[in-house]
Amino acid sequence: CCEVPFYLAKKGLSMNEWSDGCKELAQVSRQMPLCVYLVCLPFTILGIILNAFFCILAPCLWCLCLKRRYVPKDKKLRDWQDRFNKVLGLYGIFCKTQSRCSVHYGEHGKKNRLVERWVAFSLDAEDARALRDEPHILGNTENWECCCGMDEEKMCMHPW
């Protein structure tokens, strides 16, 4: 966030407003604290132990753990987007978080997901309408709702 992008500055967005939006986004997109992993690790170990007895329980615990990690982060990102759009709206600008996931299969058929993430900006009302109609999530998605997890289609960006 060294400087306001040219076209946003041309619309009147100040360095102060841009810096505030960038700083807030950086706070939202930071990795979750270690305590989340310390909470998930016992569930994972418990799931591995119980997996010998209940093949369905271990994946459910893992899905719940992922949901506890990503759903709050998704809400924070949506809240940031709403707050920043209030500032940008004063200048006729609209932003939307988006991401695209492509899948590549590696050695031994291992699934590898490559995720690209960005914030898209529109500079006028017509483009804003078009951007609002675009999905947040593009490409490959996963849905773990069957095991009490989350559906990536309902998120504003692929999990990270």
Side-chain angles (χ1 to χ4, degrees), residues 32-49 57-72 150 160:
M32 294 297 280
L34 183 59
C35 63
V36 169
Y37 298 106
L38 295 177
V39 169
C40 291
L41 185 60
F43 282 122
T44 302
I45 293 170
L46 177 64
I48 291 168
I49 293 168
L57 189 56
C60 287
L61 290 174
W62 182 248
C63 287
L64 281 169
C65 190
L66 288 176
K67 186 175 184 176
R68 280 188 64 146
R69 178 177 181 200
Y70 292 123
V71 169
M150 63 191 176
W160 60 99

Side-chain angles (χ1 to χ4, degrees), residues 12-151:
L13 188 68
S14 72
M15 183 61 191
N16 219 19
E17 293 164 323
W18 176 251
S19 292
D20 290 347
C22 288
K23 287 174 188 172
E24 193 175 338
L25 178 59
Q27 289 293 321
V28 169
S29 63
R30 281 189 330 193
Q31 291 296 324
M32 294 297 280
L34 183 59
C35 63
V36 169
Y37 298 106
L38 295 177
V39 169
C40 291
L41 185 60
F43 282 122
T44 302
I45 293 170
L46 177 64
I48 291 168
I49 293 168
L50 293 175
N51 192 33
F53 302 105
F54 307 102
C55 292
I56 295 174
L57 189 56
C60 287
L61 290 174
W62 182 248
C63 287
L64 281 169
C65 190
L66 288 176
K67 186 175 184 176
R68 280 188 64 146
R69 178 177 181 200
Y70 292 123
V71 169
K73 197 173 214 179
D74 182 71
K75 182 178 178 349
K76 286 179 183 177
L77 190 55
R78 285 178 190 274
D79 291 345
W80 167 83
Q81 184 176 274
D82 290 343
R83 285 190 304 275
F84 198 38
N85 271 323
K86 285 179 184 168
V87 173
L88 296 174
L90 300 172
Y91 305 101
I93 303 169
F94 175 74
C95 77
K96 184 174 191 171
T97 55
Q98 294 183 305
S99 60
R100 174 180 291 116
C101 177
S102 55
V103 174
H104 305 280
Y105 291 92
E107 205 172 312
H108 308 293
K110 182 181 178 204
K111 181 179 179 178
N112 296 308
R113 300 178 82 203
L114 174 64
V115 179
E116 301 169 275
R117 298 173 186 88
W118 63 91
V119 178
F121 292 90
S122 65
L123 302 176
D124 59 47
E126 184 180 332
D127 285 341
R129 279 190 296 278
L131 184 56
R132 280 184 177 92
D133 289 340
E134 289 182 18
H136 283 279
I137 304 281
L138 305 165
N140 178 265
T141 60
E142 294 188 358
N143 183 342
W144 304 298
E145 286 183 317
C146 63
C147 61
C148 303
M150 63 191 176
D151 179 3

